[in-house]
Amino acid sequence: MSQLEQVMKSRKSVRAYDSTYKIEKKELEEILELATSAPSSSNLQSWRFIVIQDQELKKELREIGNNQAQIEDSSAIIAVLGDTEAYRNVEEIYEQNVSLGYMDQSIADRTVNNTQNLYPNLPKTILTQIASYDAGLISMQILLLAKERGYDTVVMGGFDKAAFAKRFELPENQFPITLIAIGKAAAPAFNTSRLPIDKITKFY
Protein backbone atom coordinates (compact mmCIF):
# COMPACT_ATOMS: atom_id res chain seq x y z
CA MET A 1 0.00 0.00 0.00
CA SER A 2 1.40 3.40 -0.97
CA GLN A 3 1.82 6.24 1.51
CA LEU A 4 -1.03 8.11 -0.16
CA GLU A 5 -3.33 5.10 0.15
CA GLN A 6 -2.42 4.76 3.82
CA VAL A 7 -3.25 8.42 4.45
CA MET A 8 -6.56 8.11 2.60
CA LYS A 9 -7.58 4.98 4.50
CA SER A 10 -6.53 6.34 7.90
CA ARG A 11 -8.38 9.65 7.52
CA LYS A 12 -11.61 9.65 9.53
CA SER A 13 -14.09 12.31 10.61
CA VAL A 14 -13.04 13.07 14.19
CA ARG A 15 -15.44 14.94 16.48
CA ALA A 16 -13.62 14.71 19.85
CA TYR A 17 -10.44 16.79 20.15
CA ASP A 18 -7.70 17.41 22.67
CA SER A 19 -8.47 21.01 23.60
CA THR A 20 -4.96 21.54 25.01
CA TYR A 21 -3.21 20.80 21.72
CA LYS A 22 -2.33 23.79 19.54
CA ILE A 23 -1.09 23.87 15.96
CA GLU A 24 1.26 26.71 15.08
CA LYS A 25 0.00 29.36 12.67
CA LYS A 26 2.99 28.70 10.40
CA GLU A 27 2.03 25.06 9.94
CA LEU A 28 -1.58 25.96 9.17
CA GLU A 29 -0.26 28.38 6.55
CA GLU A 30 1.89 25.61 5.07
CA ILE A 31 -1.09 23.25 4.82
CA LEU A 32 -3.20 25.88 3.08
CA GLU A 33 -0.41 26.84 0.70
CA LEU A 34 0.14 23.22 -0.31
CA ALA A 35 -3.61 22.68 -0.63
CA THR A 36 -3.85 25.46 -3.23
CA SER A 37 -2.28 23.05 -5.73
CA ALA A 38 -5.87 21.81 -6.14
CA PRO A 39 -7.44 22.37 -9.57
CA SER A 40 -10.00 25.12 -10.03
CA SER A 41 -12.22 26.47 -12.78
CA SER A 42 -9.97 28.34 -15.25
CA ASN A 43 -7.34 28.35 -12.48
CA LEU A 44 -9.22 31.26 -10.90
CA GLN A 45 -8.81 29.76 -7.41
CA SER A 46 -12.18 30.95 -6.13
CA TRP A 47 -11.52 29.69 -2.60
CA ARG A 48 -10.88 32.02 0.35
CA PHE A 49 -10.13 31.12 3.98
CA ILE A 50 -10.69 32.40 7.48
CA VAL A 51 -8.63 30.54 10.10
CA ILE A 52 -9.95 30.82 13.64
CA GLN A 53 -7.59 30.00 16.50
CA ASP A 54 -8.75 32.48 19.13
CA GLN A 55 -10.52 30.55 21.87
CA GLU A 56 -13.14 33.19 22.63
CA LEU A 57 -13.99 33.50 18.97
CA LYS A 58 -14.30 29.72 18.68
CA LYS A 59 -16.79 29.77 21.57
CA GLU A 60 -18.78 32.36 19.68
CA LEU A 61 -18.56 30.33 16.49
CA ARG A 62 -19.82 27.25 18.32
CA GLU A 63 -23.17 28.99 18.78
CA ILE A 64 -23.31 29.63 15.03
CA GLY A 65 -22.30 26.02 14.38
CA ASN A 66 -25.17 24.15 16.05
CA ASN A 67 -23.22 23.79 19.31
CA GLN A 68 -20.77 21.27 17.84
CA ALA A 69 -18.08 20.70 20.48
CA GLN A 70 -15.28 20.21 17.97
CA ILE A 71 -15.56 23.86 16.96
CA GLU A 72 -14.37 24.90 20.41
CA ASP A 73 -12.07 21.97 21.24
CA SER A 74 -10.06 21.60 18.02
CA SER A 75 -6.82 23.49 17.49
CA ALA A 76 -8.31 25.64 14.76
CA ILE A 77 -11.27 26.05 12.47
CA ILE A 78 -10.60 26.62 8.80
CA ALA A 79 -13.60 28.28 7.18
CA VAL A 80 -13.61 27.67 3.44
CA LEU A 81 -15.32 30.46 1.54
CA GLY A 82 -16.24 30.93 -2.09
CA ASP A 83 -15.63 34.08 -4.13
CA THR A 84 -18.07 34.73 -6.97
CA GLU A 85 -15.79 37.47 -8.31
CA ALA A 86 -12.60 35.42 -8.43
CA TYR A 87 -12.35 36.28 -12.13
CA ARG A 88 -11.16 39.75 -11.10
CA ASN A 89 -7.76 38.19 -10.33
CA VAL A 90 -7.33 36.63 -13.76
CA GLU A 91 -4.69 39.10 -15.01
CA GLU A 92 -2.56 38.69 -11.89
CA ILE A 93 -2.80 34.89 -12.08
CA TYR A 94 -1.87 34.61 -15.74
CA GLU A 95 0.87 37.26 -15.59
CA GLN A 96 2.41 35.09 -12.88
CA ASN A 97 2.06 32.01 -15.09
CA VAL A 98 4.03 33.80 -17.81
CA SER A 99 6.71 35.13 -15.44
CA LEU A 100 7.25 31.61 -14.06
CA GLY A 101 7.62 30.21 -17.56
CA TYR A 102 4.49 28.06 -17.36
CA MET A 103 3.00 29.46 -20.60
CA ASP A 104 3.77 32.03 -23.27
CA GLN A 105 2.20 35.48 -23.35
CA SER A 106 -0.14 34.73 -26.26
CA ILE A 107 -1.81 31.86 -24.39
CA ALA A 108 -2.12 33.99 -21.26
CA ASP A 109 -3.61 36.91 -23.19
CA ARG A 110 -6.15 34.64 -24.88
CA THR A 111 -7.16 33.04 -21.57
CA VAL A 112 -7.50 36.40 -19.82
CA ASN A 113 -9.63 37.73 -22.67
CA ASN A 114 -11.89 34.66 -22.70
CA THR A 115 -12.30 34.80 -18.92
CA GLN A 116 -13.15 38.49 -18.90
CA ASN A 117 -15.73 37.94 -21.62
CA LEU A 118 -17.34 34.93 -19.95
CA TYR A 119 -17.28 35.00 -16.16
CA PRO A 120 -18.66 38.51 -15.42
CA ASN A 121 -21.72 37.67 -17.52
CA LEU A 122 -22.52 34.37 -15.83
CA PRO A 123 -25.51 34.26 -13.42
CA LYS A 124 -24.52 34.44 -9.77
CA THR A 125 -26.02 30.99 -9.24
CA ILE A 126 -23.52 29.53 -11.71
CA LEU A 127 -20.60 31.43 -10.15
CA THR A 128 -21.71 30.13 -6.75
CA GLN A 129 -21.77 26.56 -8.07
CA ILE A 130 -18.27 26.97 -9.54
CA ALA A 131 -16.86 28.32 -6.27
CA SER A 132 -18.57 25.56 -4.27
CA TYR A 133 -17.15 22.87 -6.54
CA ASP A 134 -13.66 24.36 -6.27
CA ALA A 135 -14.03 24.54 -2.48
CA GLY A 136 -14.75 20.81 -2.38
CA LEU A 137 -11.55 20.08 -4.29
CA ILE A 138 -9.33 22.13 -2.00
CA SER A 139 -11.09 20.93 1.17
CA MET A 140 -10.16 17.33 0.38
CA GLN A 141 -6.55 18.42 -0.13
CA ILE A 142 -6.61 20.06 3.32
CA LEU A 143 -7.95 16.89 4.94
CA LEU A 144 -5.30 14.65 3.41
CA LEU A 145 -2.43 17.06 4.09
CA ALA A 146 -3.56 17.36 7.71
CA LYS A 147 -3.69 13.59 8.13
CA GLU A 148 -0.28 13.15 6.50
CA ARG A 149 1.10 15.48 9.20
CA GLY A 150 -0.58 13.54 12.00
CA TYR A 151 -3.60 15.77 12.53
CA ASP A 152 -7.29 14.91 12.54
CA THR A 153 -10.14 16.75 10.88
CA VAL A 154 -13.86 16.88 10.35
CA VAL A 155 -15.86 18.81 7.75
CA MET A 156 -18.96 20.65 8.91
CA GLY A 157 -21.60 21.97 6.57
CA GLY A 158 -24.21 22.34 9.30
CA PHE A 159 -23.88 25.90 10.52
CA ASP A 160 -25.76 29.17 10.17
CA LYS A 161 -24.13 30.55 7.06
CA ALA A 162 -25.98 33.87 7.16
CA ALA A 163 -24.89 34.43 10.78
CA PHE A 164 -21.31 33.49 9.88
CA ALA A 165 -21.25 35.94 6.97
CA LYS A 166 -22.59 38.69 9.22
CA ARG A 167 -20.18 37.99 12.09
CA PHE A 168 -17.12 38.02 9.86
CA GLU A 169 -18.41 40.89 7.71
CA LEU A 170 -18.00 39.03 4.44
CA PRO A 171 -18.25 41.14 1.30
CA GLU A 172 -21.19 40.44 -0.99
CA ASN A 173 -19.08 38.37 -3.38
CA GLN A 174 -17.89 35.95 -0.66
CA PHE A 175 -19.95 33.25 1.03
CA PRO A 176 -19.16 30.49 3.57
CA ILE A 177 -19.21 26.92 2.30
CA THR A 178 -17.80 24.67 5.00
CA LEU A 179 -15.93 24.62 8.29
CA ILE A 180 -13.00 22.26 8.85
CA ALA A 181 -11.96 21.46 12.43
CA ILE A 182 -8.29 20.45 12.70
CA GLY A 183 -6.35 19.18 15.71
CA LYS A 184 -5.47 16.03 17.66
CA ALA A 185 -8.13 13.43 18.35
CA ALA A 186 -9.13 12.87 21.98
CA ALA A 187 -11.05 9.72 21.06
CA PRO A 188 -10.96 7.47 17.99
CA ALA A 189 -13.42 8.06 15.20
CA PHE A 190 -15.89 5.43 14.07
CA ASN A 191 -15.08 3.42 10.97
CA THR A 192 -17.62 3.83 8.20
CA SER A 193 -18.58 1.52 5.36
CA ARG A 194 -18.78 2.35 1.67
CA LEU A 195 -21.12 1.12 -1.03
CA PRO A 196 -19.52 -1.40 -3.40
CA ILE A 197 -18.07 0.01 -6.59
CA ASP A 198 -20.26 -2.21 -8.77
CA LYS A 199 -23.34 -0.57 -7.25
CA ILE A 200 -22.27 3.01 -7.96
CA THR A 201 -20.28 2.64 -11.20
CA LYS A 202 -21.01 1.74 -14.82
CA PHE A 203 -18.29 0.88 -17.31
CA TYR A 204 -18.88 1.21 -21.06
Side-chain angles (χ1 to χ4, degrees):
M1 186 184 297
S2 70
Q3 183 177 356
L4 175 58
E5 289 172 322
Q6 290 175 346
V7 169
M8 291 173 67
K9 286 183 174 294
S10 63
R11 185 217 59 80
K12 306 294 178 188
S13 295
V14 170
R15 291 177 173 79
Y17 287 85
D18 178 355
S19 61
T20 66
Y21 190 88
K22 304 301 176 189
I23 301 174
E24 294 295 324
K25 176 186 175 184
K26 183 177 185 297
E27 188 161 21
L28 292 168
E29 288 175 334
E30 289 173 358
I31 289 171
L32 291 178
E33 184 174 358
L34 286 165
T36 60
S37 64
S40 62
S41 179
S42 299
N43 192 32
L44 294 178
Q45 306 159 51
S46 57
W47 44 66
R48 302 291 178 264
F49 308 104
I50 295 175
V51 181
I52 302 156
Q53 295 177 278
D54 181 81
Q55 203 57 36
E56 291 305 312
L57 192 50
K58 285 197 292 178
K59 287 181 182 179
E60 193 177 334
L61 182 58
R62 181 172 176 171
E63 296 181 14
I64 294 173
N66 296 328
N67 197 34
Q68 297 179 79
Q70 62 265 26
I71 293 176
E72 190 174 345
D73 294 339
S74 60
S75 297
I77 297 296
I78 300 171
V80 183
L81 319 176
D83 185 353
T84 57
E85 295 182 4
Y87 57 81
R88 295 185 182 276
N89 297 313
V90 65
E91 289 188 47
E92 178 184 351
I93 291 168
Y94 281 88
E95 283 173 8
Q96 189 175 37
N97 285 340
V98 172
S99 68
L100 291 170
Y102 296 160
M103 63 179 59
D104 62 40
Q105 189 66 56
S106 63
I107 295 173
D109 289 344
R110 184 167 66 248
T111 306
V112 168
N113 184 62
N114 290 341
T115 300
Q116 291 175 334
N117 286 333
L118 174 63
Y119 281 81
N121 298 311
L122 290 173
K124 191 167 184 179
T125 53
I126 299 299
L127 293 170
T128 299
Q129 289 174 1
I130 290 170
S132 298
Y133 186 85
D134 290 351
L137 294 171
I138 199 167
S139 293
M140 193 67 238
Q141 298 257 96
I142 293 169
L143 303 188
L144 294 177
L145 285 163
K147 191 61 186 176
E148 193 269 338
R149 289 174 177 237
Y151 301 124
D152 297 291
T153 54
V154 66
V155 177
M156 296 167 283
F159 63 101
D160 187 333
K161 295 177 175 63
F164 183 98
K166 182 178 180 180
R167 173 61 184 82
F168 291 95
E169 300 179 334
L170 299 186
E172 192 172 329
N173 57 296
Q174 292 185 13
F175 62 100
I177 298 171
T178 195
L179 304 177
I180 300 174
I182 180 171
K184 286 282 189 179
F190 293 107
N191 280 323
T192 54
S193 63
R194 296 293 184 269
L195 293 169
I197 288 298
D198 61 5
K199 186 169 184 176
I200 61 173
T201 308
K202 291 183 179 179
F203 286 90
Y204 292 97

